[in-house]
Amino acid sequence: MITAEQHEKLRGWFAGRLPDDLFESLGEVTVDREEITVIGRIPEPRLAESASDAEREAAVGSRIQEFRERTRDARVAVAREAEHRFGKKVSWGVECGGERALFTHVAAPVMTRLRQPQRQVLDTLIAAGVARSRSDALAWCVRLVERHADDWLAELRDSLEHVQRVRAQGPDAPGPIAEDAGPEDTPTDG
């Protein structure tokens, strides 16, 4: 978890580093322990107003694919620099015509221990054909919580950010050493 200021600096770095003609605008920059995901907006294809939904869907899909292929070298160059600077993999995505597409991105394994009642939930999802495995079922559960708990998760993230700020101000925080500290103020090993 990073602070709001660190996130703003990260977003600013990408905004300043990305080629001007890469995206119409920088939409979103998200970060976790393993990955930075950069999503930009690209122009919608120009279609006749009478275009069908199928035609619009195909045009947007083609626009996204064309963008991905055309900009690969530029995105790889920025990603290499960012990975070296921030120590995280960089993934890319776009928004176009109301669609969001993520390109190759990190799928990090997560280990957990579950008690029987939780395993039964996962096994029920498998038996119902919702998931192929316990891993798929757990990922499905996380996506469900993510979809329905946005406000709660946002409040929790804000609270965690506050905790990080308070910790940074604690006695172990780096700062100036008092010049008038006497021997009684100096920690000893004894």
Side-chain angles (χ1 to χ4, degrees), residues 4-14 86:
E5 182 180 354
Q6 290 169 327
H7 185 264
E8 289 168 5
K9 287 180 179 180
L10 182 72
R11 182 179 170 82
W13 185 87
F14 276 98
F86 302 112

Side-chain angles (χ1 to χ4, degrees), residues 7-76:
H7 185 264
E8 289 168 5
K9 287 180 179 180
L10 182 72
R11 182 179 170 82
W13 185 87
F14 276 98
R17 178 59 184 84
L18 292 173
D20 288 337
D21 61 346
L22 189 65
F23 297 125
E24 273 188 330
S25 64
L26 180 59
E28 187 177 309
V29 177
T30 56
V31 63
D32 67 9
R33 289 185 218 174
E34 293 85 17
E35 174 181 35
I36 299 168
T37 303
V38 179
I39 299 179
R41 291 183 189 87
I42 61 173
E44 292 183 45
R46 293 188 185 127
L47 297 170
E49 287 187 33
S50 61
S52 68
D53 289 343
E55 184 178 354
R56 286 186 193 287
E57 185 179 324
V60 166
S62 294
R63 173 62 53 92
I64 290 169
Q65 187 61 35
E66 182 276 335
F67 171 86
R68 184 178 185 185
E69 293 169 8
R70 176 176 46 85
T71 64
R72 182 172 281 118
D73 291 341
R75 288 183 295 105
V76 166

Side-chain angles (χ1 to χ4, degrees), residues 177-182:
I177 298 174
E179 292 179 24
D180 61 346

Side-chain angles (χ1 to χ4, degrees), residues 104-115:
T104 305
H105 52 282
V106 175
V110 178
M111 299 297 292
T112 187
R113 294 184 186 278
L114 299 175
R115 301 202 186 283

